Amino acid sequence: MTAAAVHVGLLARDKTPSRLELVSLPYFDAQKADDHGFLQYMGKSKDGSMVFSVGFETASAPVIKAAKNLFSLGKASIGKVDYVETRPVINMLMIIGGISSRRLGLTFVGRPLVSWGTQLAYKQIVALVEETERKLKKRGEKGQ
Amino acid sequence: MIYFYHCYRGAHLSCVAAALHLKRIQPSAGVKEILSLEYFDVLQNRDMGVPVLAGYSQGNPVCFVGLGSGSKIFARFADSLTTKMQVPPQYKSVDCLECINLLTRIGGFISRFKGLKQIGRYLAARGVHKNLDKIFALVLQARGS
């Protein structure tokens, strides 16, 4: 969700956001288990693409693979969709904070931990977004 | 319309649901018939996300697939994706994991180990057989009949 916010420009890339900036983002630390799988619209990127965030728990690989297969089997064109896995940048603070806040309902403990973890991982999150943008740009140039 | 039956590994519940849909077995089938299904207890963890086309029902593809812990998430994601991209849904996604019981769970787990495959398969089939009515109810609901 933070990566999507960076991608659409809701957060500055050159400065680590404050805790207040993070918690005031739409959807930050707001999802419950029943919300996982629903796309959350974050905004549009510089090139006009729509950017969404979505929670997959630990099942991102099979769910994405199955969705791709389903839509290619049905020959339904859902346009160009790029999936960006953000799990590699998750740290222990974010995991513990997320479980405390969302699963155990201990928001007062969990939210500061998630925010802190996100601040620590911020550079990696920005790097991931920029890497994605580079890939998309390259692909766009090849396609022209 | 694509019928998409899914469960944890795609090896037991969804595979049997697809067979029921295609009338390869009847809801009154016994453990032996379940065990004789071509794809029963075949898919492994590494196959998760890859659907198996079990056959066609009135020209519509019937598939089953393992989604790990994402069985519930998948339905929400696929629906959400079609809604946001304004594509009419051309599939019916059926979560068979709600028909799981302890026997299927234990059987499915131990069938992954060499030497315990036969007993695991048998236990899983017994578990599926116990809940065959429930699975058939899901199939009827999906077929809309």
Side-chain angles (χ1 to χ4, degrees):
Chain A
M1 188 256 111
T2 308
V6 171
H7 200 135
V8 299
L10 290 179
L11 291 171
R13 297 181 183 203
D14 51 354
K15 171 179 120 337
T16 304
S18 67
R19 213 177 90 188
L20 193 67
E21 280 178 288
L22 286 174
V23 296
S24 30
L25 286 172
Y27 312 119
F28 188 83
D29 193 42
Q31 279 210 331
K32 292 224 162 133
D34 287 349
D35 301 323
H36 293 160
F38 287 119
L39 289 171
Q40 300 164 322
Y41 180 67
M42 289 302 290
K44 281 199 171 175
S45 67
K46 274 183 224 160
D47 64 356
S49 309
M50 291 194 283
V51 179
F52 297 92
S53 73
V54 59
F56 286 137
E57 294 173 19
T58 53
S60 55
V63 170
I64 291 171
K65 212 189 276 181
K68 281 182 181 173
N69 282 314
L70 171 65
F71 291 116
S72 61
L73 198 65
K75 294 180 183 98
S77 173
I78 50 166
K80 268 188 187 171
V81 181
D82 281 282
Y83 303 90
V84 185
E85 176 66 85
T86 54
R87 280 179 72 201
V89 301
I90 291 175
N91 55 36
M92 204 43 104
L93 277 171
M94 290 155 102
I95 295 172
I96 297 170
I99 291 172
S100 320
S101 173
R102 301 288 89 212
R103 204 164 288 177
L104 306 176
L106 304 170
T107 315
F108 64 101
V109 183
R111 196 161 292 174
L113 287 178
V114 177
S115 311
W116 187 21
T118 309
Q119 286 172 320
L120 291 178
Y122 195 68
K123 274 188 185 160
Q124 290 165 273
I125 296 171
V126 172
L128 181 76
V129 172
E130 289 179 343
E131 175 66 26
T132 306
E133 286 174 334
R134 265 196 298 275
K135 270 187 202 164
L136 294 176
K137 201 175 166 191
K138 227 184 222 176
R139 202 181 309 157
E141 281 166 3
K142 265 187 194 171
Q144 280 171 2
Chain B
M1 181 67 70
I2 303 165
Y3 294 95
F4 225 60
Y5 291 96
H6 47 91
C7 59
Y8 190 86
R9 215 173 83 194
H12 308 113
L13 298 168
S14 56
C15 154
V16 169
L20 281 168
H21 190 122
L22 294 165
K23 296 179 182 163
R24 292 204 179 130
I25 56 168
Q26 295 303 313
S28 56
V31 174
K32 231 180 174 180
E33 286 159 286
I34 293 171
L35 279 168
S36 66
L37 284 172
E38 191 185 359
Y39 273 99
F40 188 78
D41 196 51
V42 169
L43 294 189
Q44 297 300 324
N45 285 0
R46 62 174 177 271
D47 304 314
M48 280 179 189
V50 182
V52 174
L53 179 62
Y56 289 86
S57 162
Q58 294 168 339
N60 299 308
V62 178
C63 305
F64 59 91
V65 63
L67 293 171
S69 56
S71 208
K72 276 201 176 79
I73 293 173
F74 174 78
R76 292 183 211 133
F77 177 59
D79 290 347
S80 187
L81 202 57
T82 47
T83 311
K84 302 270 185 197
M85 300 299 170
Q86 295 170 339
V87 176
Q90 295 169 318
Y91 61 87
K92 251 184 199 165
S93 133
V94 186
D95 182 12
C96 302
L97 212 50
E98 57 188 77
C99 299
I100 198 157
N101 53 23
L102 195 60
L103 263 181
T104 315
R105 235 181 249 271
I106 296 171
F109 179 72
I110 64 175
S111 77
R112 289 188 287 184
F113 299 101
K114 263 189 188 172
L116 295 173
K117 192 156 180 64
Q118 288 311 314
I119 179 80
R121 267 173 62 89
Y122 179 73
L123 288 178
R126 283 287 298 267
V128 169
H129 179 249
K130 233 177 158 182
N131 275 356
L132 208 55
D133 286 348
K134 266 187 172 179
I135 302 171
F136 188 57
L138 280 182
V139 172
L140 287 180
Q141 217 175 348
R143 278 205 305 226
S145 56

